[in-house]
Amino acid sequence: MAKVLIAGRIPEQALNSLKEAQLDIDVFDDSEALITKDELIKRVADKDFLITPLSTQVDKDVINSAPNLKLIANYGVGFNNIDTDYAKTKGIPVTNTPKVSTTSTAEVACGLMISLAHRIVEGDKLMRNEGFSGWAPLFFLGHQLAGKTLGIIGMGQIGQAVAKRMHAFDMNILYSQRKPLDSTTEGQLGAKFATVDEVIKNADVLTLHVPATPATHHMIGADQFKAMKDSAMLINASRGPVIDEAALYEALLNHEIAGAALDVYEKEPHVDDGFKSLKNVILTPHIGNATVEARDAMAEIVAKNTVAMSNGDKPNYVVNGVTD
């Protein structure tokens, strides 16, 4: 009987699918902590398949500890937690769970924009503490998004889903990526292609939807903050390392930009204490795809890929080029 290690709790439906396939399942079932590297190495040693959450690092040491390993199924869209190149040298396919997170992540990014522009989180804190004395014409003013320019860096599925939603809010959409979208899609989204520098310079709200790669590391830093409008707001629901957080803190402190909303962090799960002291920052705990619907769909993908491999079939969504 093939053995599966699930390195963190995932929705029950995935477990049911694996049990129906008569696989031997070992689940790291601690809801209070992540699996340690030593524990991971110990438990994966005799396993054929590894299902791992995005938060767990699967490096060369882990891969070498499991001579029978035939699949690493990452429970997440990103896969920078896995040494995919080394897995490839071992002939081990690495899969992820794309597409199914699009709606949830886009909704979170849009919610962060609205909350930041209208000071909703700040207002909630006010009401839970000192309260207010009543409505007044100049009290607690924010900004409407209609008529403003939304700059999107990374116009893949999530970027397009954000554009679709905020186009309905009457925002002007300016975007950048390696190649322009086709004219029909641009028309539907009300989007205009521009260079990264043009997007950064003209955006009233800048939102990032790019993967974490060497090319995107700190793509938004001190120079970019100086180029942005001092009234601009920054949203990051993609990957933490794409922003130089030290530069972001200085930009916020010195009012080079007006505000930021972060769902991901450069040294996640650590959040710099400086951000916690600023009123013009919203901080959320990486909840981009934290919905029942998205997480269930992700569970279905990792389970199906594992069952497929156990039956000698090819998995879907292989990210490291191992196809045999």
Side-chain angles (χ1 to χ4, degrees):
M1 183 181 293
K3 297 181 178 181
V4 184
L5 172 62
I6 305 177
R9 297 176 66 183
I10 62 176
E12 191 71 23
Q13 68 183 65
L15 302 181
N16 294 335
S17 296
L18 296 171
K19 290 174 183 176
E20 288 173 6
Q22 297 184 331
L23 296 174
D24 183 1
I25 305 168
D26 177 17
V27 181
F28 179 75
D29 197 21
D30 189 337
S31 61
E32 301 298 324
L34 300 177
I35 193 169
T36 64
K37 181 175 180 177
D38 288 344
E39 181 75 7
L40 179 59
I41 287 174
K42 176 182 176 181
R43 292 173 74 154
V44 79
D46 64 341
K47 301 302 189 290
D48 300 285
F49 310 109
L50 171 61
I51 295 174
T52 180
L54 179 66
S55 52
T56 296
Q57 297 297 312
V58 181
D59 60 15
K60 183 177 180 179
D61 295 335
V62 174
I63 294 169
N64 281 339
S65 71
N68 299 324
L69 199 59
K70 301 176 183 66
L71 172 70
I72 302 171
N74 209 41
Y75 189 90
V77 180
F79 45 88
N80 52 305
N81 58 310
I82 299 172
D83 190 335
T84 54
D85 291 336
Y86 188 71
K88 185 176 182 178
T89 69
K90 294 288 188 176
I92 302 170
V94 176
T95 62
N96 69 339
T97 59
K99 301 180 181 180
V100 294
S101 296
T102 297
T103 297
S104 292
T105 305
E107 287 179 355
V108 166
C110 295
L112 290 173
M113 290 180 211
I114 296 166
S115 296
L116 192 59
H118 289 274
R119 303 174 66 184
I120 291 172
V121 174
E122 193 181 346
D124 178 79
K125 291 178 180 177
L126 176 73
M127 296 306 296
R128 292 176 188 274
N129 293 288
E130 63 266 32
F132 77 128
S133 58
W135 186 94
L138 300 180
F139 174 68
F140 217 77
L141 300 182
H143 292 278
Q144 64 184 32
L145 294 172
K148 303 295 194 303
T149 296
L150 173 61
I152 302 176
I153 298 180
M155 199 65 149
Q157 290 182 333
I158 296 174
Q160 290 181 46
V162 170
K164 176 182 177 181
R165 286 155 177 76
M166 300 318 295
H167 179 50
F169 274 65
D170 295 325
M171 294 194 79
N172 304 309
I173 312 296
L174 199 63
Y175 76 96
S176 183
Q177 61 178 5
R178 282 178 291 182
K179 295 181 179 179
L181 299 170
D182 62 86
S183 58
T184 299
T185 302
E186 283 190 338
Q188 291 171 344
L189 299 175
K192 180 181 178 181
F193 181 77
T195 67
V196 170
D197 289 343
E198 289 171 336
V199 171
I200 289 171
K201 179 181 177 181
N202 290 286
D204 295 299
V205 181
L206 180 65
T207 183
L208 310 176
H209 299 287
V210 296
T213 68
T216 62
H217 182 77
H218 284 189
M219 70 180 298
I220 305 297
D223 291 342
Q224 288 71 36
F225 293 126
K226 287 181 172 61
M228 290 172 69
K229 298 178 181 180
D230 58 13
S231 58
M233 298 177 291
L234 175 68
I235 312 295
N236 189 14
S238 60
R239 290 292 178 262
V242 303
I243 293 177
D244 181 341
E245 286 190 355
L248 172 59
Y249 175 73
E250 291 298 321
L252 290 164
L253 197 64
N254 297 323
H255 304 290
E256 289 180 342
I257 65 172
L262 307 176
D263 186 48
V264 290
Y265 305 90
E266 187 173 356
K267 298 177 181 178
E268 194 169 312
H270 171 75
V271 180
D272 190 280
D273 287 339
F275 291 130
K276 299 176 186 178
S277 66
L278 299 176
K279 292 183 177 180
N280 58 343
V281 177
I282 295 175
L283 306 171
T284 53
H286 200 152
I287 57 172
N289 61 20
T291 60
V292 171
E293 295 83 359
R295 296 289 170 86
D296 281 351
M298 292 163 67
E300 183 178 0
I301 290 173
V302 295
K304 283 185 174 180
N305 279 338
T306 303
V307 172
M309 286 292 291
S310 73
N311 291 331
D313 298 323
K314 294 180 180 180
N316 292 318
Y317 310 122
V318 175
V319 299
N320 66 336
V322 178
T323 57
D324 296 327

